[in-house]
Amino acid sequence: MLRTLSVERIKLLSTRSPYWCTVLILISVWGIALAVSLVENGRDASVASSQFGGRFGMLTFLVMAALAVTTEYRFGTIRNSLLAVPSRTVLLVSKTVVMALIGAVIAAVASGGAFLLTQALAKAPRDGAITLDSDGAVRMVFGYCALYAIGAVLAVGIGTLLRQSAGAITLLLLWPLLAEQLVLLISPLRDLVPWLPFNAAFTFVNGEDSGGMFGGLSGSDGPTPAQGLLIFGATALVIWLLALLTLQRRDA
């Protein structure tokens, strides 16, 4: 298992996409935090606003995690991987663990860096000092570590199911950006919107009163932060298990 983890790490870091995606994540997360902290001397700066770029950073990471799988199918190296590792379960677990660990590290660097930038550069924040003085504030910043790790499980599962980069990326982007928002247009289903996987996930970092991927969805009728994380995790696990069953039954 340890050897397989090491091989998966080497394979991942030998391609360009992880580096480009990491740069894009840092640019989006840090760039928005920089803008928030400099505009009008950081008048609107806060712990929450320092993490406005986290939504876009996570979407980029989902693409990165999916590419870790679909690239192997594109270039045919998945056949060599399956020959080298007889247990397909071990192979998929290794890919997922590597991506989850890398995701947690990237999230910590991106979100932590955004908070420090905002704290250092905002001269006159309206809400006073920008500090991690509560559990909610800590979760706003470092809760992304959990979301990225769970996102890796989801993206690896979708990448394994679809096997094509274009299809996996399209699904991972349209699902949170469009599909979950379109439910708002269907009156009988509007109450379900805060409970949909991505909206629920971002309740974990945004809080109950400003939950959802873009905020303003949860409130008293939505999930609590813990429930939101559980919904997102359960969804990712179900898709990953379906991917594992599919991988075991079909040819490479």
Side-chain angles (χ1 to χ4, degrees), residues 35 37 50 101 122 168 181 190 252:
S37 61
S50 74
L101 291 175
Q181 310 309 314
R190 283 183 180 177

Side-chain angles (χ1 to χ4, degrees), residues 44-53 55 130 137 140-141 144 205-206 210:
D44 295 322
S46 64
V47 176
S49 63
S50 74
Q51 303 303 313
F52 280 169
R55 301 161 177 82
I130 302 173
M140 283 181 187
V141 177
Y144 280 99
V205 289
N206 294 339
S210 58

